[in-house]
Structures are given as C-alpha cells and as structure tokens.
Amino acid sequence: MMHPKQLLQLYDIAPKKSLGQNFLFDLPVLSRIVDAAQLSADESVLEIGPGLGSLTHVLASRAAEVVAVELDDRLIPILQGELGTYDNVTIRHGDILKQDPAALFDRDYKVVANVPYYITGAILKHLLSAPQKPLMMVLTVQKEVAERVVAEPPNMSLLGVSVQYYGTPTIVDTIKAGAFWPRPDVDSAVLRIDLTGGQRATDEQRFFKVAKAGFSQKRKQLKNNLGVMGFSKDEISAGLAQAEIEGSRRAQTLTIEEWERLTNAFFP
Ligand code: SAH
C-alpha cells in the first residue's frame, strides 16, 4: 500500500482539513477495523468517505459488495484507479447526509467507515434514524466521542441516549494518531453499534422530544428542564410520578428504560 502522502503527491493534490481528511495507512489497523464488523463473504457494506481507498481494499476482499460514498470529487479518479480491479466495489460521488443509505442496497447492509470527524454526530443521526437501518455500524471516531456514546448512568449524554435508543454501542479498539496521515490532533477509537436488537416500543419523535427537554439545561433538575415541552408544573409532576421518577434527578442519571417510561407518561 502506498503512503497517502506519496499517493496524493502523485495526483498533485493536498488533503482538505475542512472535509476531515485523515487517511489511514497502517494495514494491521485497517484489518482490525474490518474484523470488528464480523463480515461474512455474502454481506453488503456501505463505506462512508473512502478517501484514498485503503479501508475499501480490505472491505472488498472480505465482503460480497462494497458501496463507497465519497464527497471530494478530486478523490474519485484516484479511487477508480486504486480499486478498478475489484468487480464488487461501487464508488459513488456525493454527500452521505443527502442519500438514503438503504436505497443503495436491495438487502441488509453493514456500515464500516473512518468517518470525517466534523460530521460524526450528523452521520450517526442520519444512519440510525433511517427507515431501513444497517445491521451494524463500525465507525472510527474521535475517542472522546466514542466514550460519550457508550457512557452509562450517571454519566449519560444526549448523544449516548440517542445511540443507545437504537442499538448497543461498544468501543472495540483504540487507534493512535500516528496511524493516520495527516495526523489528527486527537486519539481515535473504533466504535461498534449493534442494531439487531429490534425496534423500541416508544415513538421515536416523542422519545427524543422528552430526552432533549430533559437535557436542555446541563445541571438542572428534570422537573425544571421538562418544562420546555410546554406542559404546566402540575402536569410535569404528574408525569414524573406516573413514570416513578424523582423530579430532583438530573438527566445524566436516567436509563433508556426510564426515558421510555417518561415518554409514555407524557404522551400516552
Ligand atoms: N476512509 C479513508 C478516509 C478517511 S478521511 C481512510 O480511512 O483513509 C474522511 C473521508 O470522508 C475523506 O475522504 C472525506 O473527503 C470524506 N467525506 C467528508 N465529508 C463527507 C460526506 N459528507 N459524505 C461522504 N464523504 C465525506
């Protein structure tokens, strides 16, 4: 595998920081990322931001089909050149946030990506709330973000609640900044999100209305924060009582099940 610096020099282009371009070139690291996806040879994979195609190579050799969506038009000819020998790879030019991921496949799919860090949250939201969700996502993200995603009470964040509403996240690996070129300013982690647990019973929009209200002001108690939903003080007390949750608690201490109870109490 050619070093990304050399490959880019060959094509006379420079990495774009604004697109989160930090390329992975360490083969054992790439292999470990793909291991985490537990791919079998008949599966389909969506890769977000293939960059110079280093992860794509490994994916192509282990999956039935890889669709890779890359936003930077300068990289498309490089990807076509680098990956032209695979007949199971499709390179698509576009913004992942503007595509319906399921429309790219006619069957179940997994997502594997070293994502552009500046849109990690948006990518998570886009894929997790898609009507046809992936079976699993394996994402290389900023370590601090991965830690927030897997947090548990009493240290939950809205990001953690949002991901854990849909699936079960685990940190499966950490990656040193030196494995990337250019080197990012932060350490990275490989986050796996298993989505095979099935759908929750609560309505998605209502659940997030309640959870967002609960987290609306950082250190405040639930009974104060829930007011932003527009209910009266009495209605809030009644809802909390029905869900059997103390109004003096703070949002970071609630489990997903407790948010679901609150959702059912406020929106029966
Ligand atoms: N997967 C490659 C590159 C990672 S860098 C590797 O591991 O080496 C992140 C990549 O995402 C870059 O190639 C960047 O151009 C691309 N990207 C940034 N925003 C994107 C978007 N909205 N949709 C698709 N790709 C995007």
Side-chain angles (χ1 to χ4, degrees):
M1 190 179 308
M2 208 187 276
H3 192 283
K5 190 175 177 177
Q6 273 181 308
L7 192 56
L8 286 172
Q9 259 166 10
L10 213 61
Y11 285 86
D12 197 23
I13 59 181
K16 265 195 191 152
K17 213 174 175 165
S18 64
L19 288 178
Q21 291 181 349
N22 300 100
F23 303 106
L24 274 171
F25 58 93
D26 182 316
L27 200 49
V29 168
L30 292 163
S31 187
R32 263 160 40 211
I33 293 173
V34 180
D35 288 346
Q38 300 165 328
L39 289 173
S40 55
D42 62 351
E43 285 188 300
S44 297
V45 179
L46 167 62
E47 187 189 355
I48 301 160
L52 302 172
S54 60
L55 188 58
T56 326
H57 273 287
V58 186
L59 290 169
S61 66
R62 297 209 216 158
E65 172 194 20
V66 182
V67 177
V69 178
E70 173 55 59
L71 180 58
D72 188 347
D73 54 359
R74 305 172 310 159
L75 302 182
I76 303 297
I78 305 185
L79 286 164
Q80 276 157 354
E82 289 295 300
L83 300 162
T85 51
Y86 294 100
D87 57 11
N88 61 341
V89 175
T90 309
I91 309 291
R92 294 181 74 115
H93 179 214
D95 181 344
I96 190 60
L97 299 177
K98 295 192 178 138
Q99 316 224 350
D100 170 10
L104 303 169
F105 303 97
D106 48 19
R107 58 200 192 116
D108 285 338
Y109 66 101
K110 290 179 174 173
V111 175
V112 180
N114 166 21
V115 301
Y117 291 175
Y118 74 107
I119 47 168
T120 305
I123 287 177
L124 283 169
K125 183 168 182 211
H126 184 61
L127 294 172
L128 292 171
S129 63
Q132 295 223 248
K133 305 181 202 317
L135 296 172
M136 181 194 279
M137 296 169 54
V138 173
L139 305 177
T140 304
V141 301
Q142 192 176 330
K143 192 167 159 214
E144 181 265 327
V145 172
E147 282 164 355
R148 271 199 286 142
V149 168
V150 303
E152 289 173 15
N155 298 310
M156 291 289 262
S157 61
L158 185 58
L159 181 66
V161 171
S162 307
V163 173
Q164 293 173 34
Y165 176 76
Y166 295 106
T168 309
T170 38
I171 294 178
V172 294
D173 214 341
T174 53
I175 302 180
K176 291 257 180 302
F180 301 83
W181 188 88
R183 229 182 129 96
D185 301 328
V186 293
D187 276 334
S188 301
V190 181
L191 182 68
R192 174 164 67 212
I193 305 170
D194 183 348
L195 295 163
T196 52
Q199 275 222 293
R200 300 249 174 213
T202 42
D203 173 75
E204 202 167 306
Q205 306 221 324
R206 289 172 170 177
F207 178 92
F208 284 109
K209 192 166 180 186
V210 176
K212 271 185 195 150
F215 279 99
S216 56
Q217 295 217 322
K218 250 201 161 174
R219 298 275 151 220
K220 278 205 179 172
Q221 302 181 354
L222 269 183
K223 61 172 187 257
N224 298 321
N225 276 355
L226 292 174
V228 304
M229 287 192 292
F231 293 107
S232 71
K233 275 209 156 94
D234 286 348
E235 286 169 321
I236 288 170
S237 301
L240 283 161
Q242 198 194 320
E244 296 182 28
I245 290 168
E246 291 288 337
S248 60
R249 286 178 60 189
R250 290 176 168 78
Q252 308 87 270
T253 69
L254 267 65
T255 64
I256 305 287
E257 286 65 35
E258 288 177 319
W259 288 116
E260 289 203 279
R261 289 208 316 261
L262 275 179
T263 306
N264 290 330
F266 285 106
F267 300 103

